[in-house]
Amino acid sequence: MIAVVAALLMATAAVPAYANQEVEQVVNGGFDSGTEPFWANAGMTIGLTDGRACADVPGGTVNRWDAAIGQNDIDLVAGETYRFGFDASGDAGHVVRAITGLAVSPYDTYFEQSPVLGGWQHYEWTFTATTTTGQGQVAFQVGGSPDPWRFCVDNVSLVGGVPPEVYEPDTGPRVRVNQVAYLPTGPKVATLVTSATTPVRWTLNDRSGKSVSAGRSVPRGIDPSSGQNVHTIDFGSVRKAASGLTLSADGETSRPFDISGRAYRKLRSDSLKFYYTQRSGIPIRDDLRPGYARPAGHVDVAPNQGDGAVPCQPGVCDYTLDVRGGWYDAGDHGKYVVNGGISVWELLAEYEHNRGSRKLNLALPESGNRVPDILDEARWELEFLLSMQAPSGLVHHKIHDRAWTGLPLLPHLDPQPRELHPVSTAATLNVAATAAQAARLYTPYDATFARRALAAARTAYDAAKANPALYAPESDGVGGGAYNDAKVTDDFYWAAAELYLTTGDRRYAADLLASPEHTADVFGPVAFDWATTAVPAKIDLALVPNRLPGLSAVRKQVIAGADKYLAIQREHPYGVAYAQPNGSWDWGSSSIVANNLVVIAAGHRLTGKAAYRDGLISGLDWLFGRNALNISYVTGYGEVAAQNQHSRWYAAQLDPSLPHPPAGTLAGGPNSSIQDPVAQSLLQGCVGQFCYIDDIGSWSTNELTINWNAALAHLIGYVAELE
Ligand code: 9MR
């Protein structure tokens, strides 16, 4: 992908349309008058060889930034587009992390690329600055190599005032299909992007190219989520399992796909296997995850500084907590209770509602201990969540690095001090809800743990009731995400629901019935996520046997919610059960699509009606390639799939010696707000589905997270049970 992007950028940068406004920001970038004002660290000296600047890079450093050459005092203006270029060479296979960033603490990176070096070559990209500063920096970070090597650079240039380049994603054939598989007994719909406004003929071809079915498309007009004129193609009458099928229409032939259920059976476990390699506090074994082995992260071994006895931020508390373990949240090394909470709920709900999950072999260190693997995995996070409970019974919102770190950075190499952030009502209720849920599910396997969990849940619930308005602030986002949430009536409702389902205690029933969430329509455009948790409560109340007075009304609400998402899906020519009234796509949209389908799945459980079953199955298509970008959002699934999700350790795009994310990893998906610099420079003005790029730098469209994969795992659990 990077090569494609670079080639595109070079092509556009060659157009000298704005030449008279272009201003060079780098001084002496051609090294014609010596090496000043460039600097070097790590004991390197910059020497001139044939007019080029060269340095002997020492071996044995850990991070890219441990050895660097750069120039400071660079002016940057927010909103202005820059062309960043240089010529470079290096001993084959070594990587330079070329950045434009802030020269002073906290050393923000505004733009970065990490080409693998070899012979002399020109590199060039453009990006749009998001910050105005007089303290910018252009730097070539060359550390992180075990052995010494030689790096040379010339013609360093950062030119402001260039036109923003137009990025054209490679979207392949205009016939868009679920590239993984259509289920033999499910609906089968494809989307055709075309200028035609009247039906066109389509054919379904077998692997030898022979037509096995044919028909005419249905024009659907302009799709607001992509701006494209589209048709749908329905080939649902074909029910025979086959692989290597293609669909042709309007002179285009789709990428190959299968009619089969097999891939989803594998994805069911892959989406859950994701969690083991996200684990903190335990070495990852190569025999269990070939190619993914790494030392334990954050177990008090230098350069790590935790998580065995983590203090609070200054002034927040006077104790330390042992918060080793748990899952890293995402591509960062933070651990956040509210995101852990919803993730655990999804895994435990998959266990509770979908019986096939109990037999899955997830290749864990605990496999074979007579406890279902999915419960072993969820417990790794549950123990962490419980450890975040303060002596007061309230729960700390999160623990993470004091300052943001760069990429790549394996967990055990993170040198930042770790800090506990204040307690919050939302985090406390997340522990109450998930520990109560755990108490009823782990009893047959470990009654002692179940009792401990229930006691913690009750204590947390009481502490939250006594402190109902401790909100995590939006401003607390340095070194980790804020996960701010100032609406907690939903979290109270969720915690009361799980406590009631586990204990049958009337006290919790009374709180449920008195909650404003009980009668409210909680099925909004986003059914649920880490911040919005009334729907998980309703799903569990509807599906787990209980005697709540007026329970049938809750079941009706869930069915009405499922109907709402089905109606949205029917209108959507890509079959998506998600649409914001203003057409925007939210951060983590792929997981929103999945969670809305989880509601449809619950509708199916409650009614047994085929409409919900069909909606659930059809809803998979968008995730796996029947979309505007013709990409599967799940690594390893589909002909063309996301594989450069933002992560500090699955950072193959930045360092070829590191792996891509494991198969079954869900990317965040289109995000209209494009908060990161890569998306901001390449996707300006994007429409809905186009606000996505499979680039490791695009943390706002292409991260991986524990809550997004949980949505995928939970959804695929329902799908697998349909077969
Ligand atoms: O997924 C989160 C999204 O809903 C929020 O709007 C955003 C800002 O708070 O944070 C996202 O979560 C990130 C978290 O803050 C830090 N770890 C990575 C998460 C995914 O990008």
Side-chain angles (χ1 to χ4, degrees), residues 329-332 336 404 480-484 530 587 699 703 705 707-708:
D329 188 60
D332 61 326
Y336 311 83
W404 284 107
Y483 282 114
N484 49 299
W530 59 266
W587 198 326
W699 41 264
E703 193 154 351
T705 73
N707 58 320
W708 302 340

Side-chain angles (χ1 to χ4, degrees), residues 609-632:
K609 286 192 183 151
Y612 301 107
R613 179 183 191 280
D614 289 352
L616 172 58
I617 296 171
S618 228
L620 300 175
D621 296 349
W622 181 86
L623 292 167
F624 300 113
R626 184 184 152 205
N627 54 47
L629 290 171
N630 204 352
I631 191 171
S632 162

Side-chain angles (χ1 to χ4, degrees), residues 168-188:
E168 283 291 339
D170 177 3
T171 54
R174 289 184 286 103
V175 186
R176 304 291 157 72
V177 297
N178 178 331
Q179 297 172 23
V180 172
Y182 293 90
L183 293 186
T185 58
K188 296 167 196 73

Side-chain angles (χ1 to χ4, degrees), residues 73-252:
D73 303 320
I74 301 276
D75 283 326
L76 291 166
V77 177
E80 184 155 313
T81 299
Y82 293 83
R83 184 169 62 240
F84 179 28
F86 57 91
D87 302 335
S89 69
D91 293 347
H94 287 87
V95 174
V96 60
R97 181 174 185 242
I99 67 143
T100 301
L102 189 60
V104 294
S105 177
Y107 301 102
D108 294 333
T109 304
Y110 304 134
F111 180 78
E112 65 175 285
Q113 290 289 337
S114 295
V116 182
L117 297 171
W120 202 243
Q121 202 183 314
H122 181 65
Y123 299 91
E124 193 171 287
W125 306 272
T126 63
F127 68 95
T128 305
T130 50
T131 308
T132 299
T133 178
Q135 294 185 298
Q137 173 186 82
V138 163
F140 300 97
Q141 299 178 349
V142 286
S145 166
D147 48 299
W149 61 290
R150 191 164 168 81
F151 171 68
C152 295
V153 66
D154 200 359
N155 299 324
V156 182
S157 166
L158 183 74
V159 176
V162 304
E165 87 285 339
V166 182
Y167 165 69
E168 283 291 339
D170 177 3
T171 54
R174 289 184 286 103
V175 186
R176 304 291 157 72
V177 297
N178 178 331
Q179 297 172 23
V180 172
Y182 293 90
L183 293 186
T185 58
K188 296 167 196 73
V189 183
T191 303
L192 169 69
V193 180
T194 176
S195 55
T197 49
T198 53
V200 301
R201 189 181 143 77
W202 58 263
T203 58
L204 179 70
N205 322 302
D206 69 12
R207 103 173 9 264
S208 70
K210 196 177 110 226
S211 163
V212 291
S213 184
R216 296 186 84 72
S217 66
V218 177
R220 300 288 297 263
I222 303 288
D223 162 36
S225 76
S226 62
Q228 300 163 321
N229 185 60
V230 291
H231 294 195
T232 46
I233 291 170
D234 187 340
F235 58 105
S237 59
V238 182
R239 298 168 79 94
K240 202 168 145 226
S243 63
L245 297 165
T246 55
L247 192 61
S248 300
D250 199 22
E252 297 262 319

Side-chain angles (χ1 to χ4, degrees), residues 328-336 339 398 400 404 474 477 479-484 529-531 586-588 591 646 648 668 671 675 699-708:
Y328 295 117
D329 188 60
D332 61 326
H333 301 140
K335 302 190 288 194
Y336 311 83
N339 211 37
K398 53 183 189 159
H400 58 69
W404 284 107
E474 190 175 3
Y483 282 114
N484 49 299
D529 61 9
W530 59 266
D586 298 284
W587 198 326
S591 72
H646 179 81
R648 280 167 177 69
N671 172 1
Q675 288 91 340
W699 41 264
S700 71
T701 80
N702 197 37
E703 193 154 351
L704 52 85
T705 73
I706 55 172
N707 58 320
W708 302 340

Side-chain angles (χ1 to χ4, degrees), residues 524-525 563-572 575-579 596:
D563 287 339
K564 226 190 238 188
Y565 300 124
L566 275 187
I568 294 170
Q569 185 181 50
R570 265 195 302 272
E571 288 303 305
H572 203 299
V576 184
Y578 160 59
N596 288 2

Side-chain angles (χ1 to χ4, degrees), residues 464-526:
K465 283 190 83 164
N467 299 272
L470 297 172
Y471 302 135
E474 190 175 3
S475 55
D476 191 8
V478 176
Y483 282 114
N484 49 299
D485 185 4
K487 178 178 182 291
V488 294
T489 49
D490 52 335
D491 305 293
F492 270 110
Y493 187 70
W494 178 36
E498 298 300 344
L499 276 159
Y500 174 69
L501 290 171
T502 300
T503 65
D505 193 330
R506 272 194 232 143
R507 190 188 143 206
Y508 301 120
D511 284 358
L512 277 176
L513 299 178
S515 165
E517 307 283 344
H518 193 57
T519 46
D521 177 3
V522 296
F523 296 90
V526 177

